[in-house]
Amino acid sequence: GKNIITARACGALAGGSGITPVISTLQDIWQEGRRDIRDRDQRIMGEKAVRMDEFAVLHVTRKASEALPSSWYEPGKGSGDITPIRVSHVVTSETSKVTVPGTGKSWTGKLTVEMVQQSLPAPADDVVIFVCG
């Protein structure tokens, strides 16, 4: 059988183009959140529609210009009740403070443990963290 994990929160640490599988995962989560428990197949299988409490992304790039626009982290129209997305960014080639539009927090320099702790959900049995890139 399959190992099924029902996560309350999810975090993604993405380096550069590693953001691509993160965006794909977000799209799957949004699709899952739109599932209707009244769906006949779900009733037969006894499944429940799942909604996460939080999805946090920490995207690390060399330049601020490599950051994705905030629209990439927004679900399409008609998505209804969706998982809240929190985006943070680290720019590694800059030494002075930069602001990346659409992100909650942004830093410059090397990625540190403190940046990860401030950006991603704390470890728990119902938390899943992806590392991509």
Side-chain angles (χ1 to χ4, degrees):
K2 285 193 226 178
N3 290 333
I4 298 175
I5 299 171
T6 302
R8 172 191 54 78
C10 183
L13 173 57
S17 63
I19 197 68
T20 303
V22 172
I23 296 298
S24 178
T25 301
L26 270 174
Q27 291 171 343
D28 288 344
I29 290 169
W30 291 328
Q31 183 177 351
E32 178 71 18
R34 286 191 296 265
R35 284 176 43 177
D36 189 338
I37 195 58
R38 294 171 294 193
D39 180 60
R40 180 180 139 332
D41 293 334
Q42 290 178 33
R43 279 198 326 262
I44 291 170
M45 300 300 292
E47 293 181 24
K48 297 177 184 174
V50 176
R51 181 182 175 276
M52 265 190 238
D53 293 340
E54 168 188 25
F55 193 101
V57 178
L58 177 55
H59 191 193
V60 182
T61 60
R62 289 188 189 112
K63 302 176 191 171
S65 62
E66 296 171 345
L68 293 177
S70 60
S71 61
W72 282 71
Y73 302 102
E74 297 168 1
K77 293 183 181 189
S79 294
D81 192 20
I82 57 139
T83 300
I85 310 300
R86 186 167 36 99
V87 181
S88 301
H89 202 93
V90 179
V91 179
T92 60
S93 68
E94 300 287 333
T95 54
S96 59
K97 177 85 173 133
V98 280
T99 302
V100 179
T103 61
K105 294 185 179 194
S106 55
W107 295 275
T108 56
K110 291 185 176 186
L111 180 66
T112 66
V113 171
E114 291 78 19
M115 292 173 189
V116 173
Q117 290 173 335
Q118 291 179 32
S119 302
L120 301 180
D125 291 339
D126 58 353
V127 172
V128 175
I129 303 291
F130 297 95
V131 179
C132 307

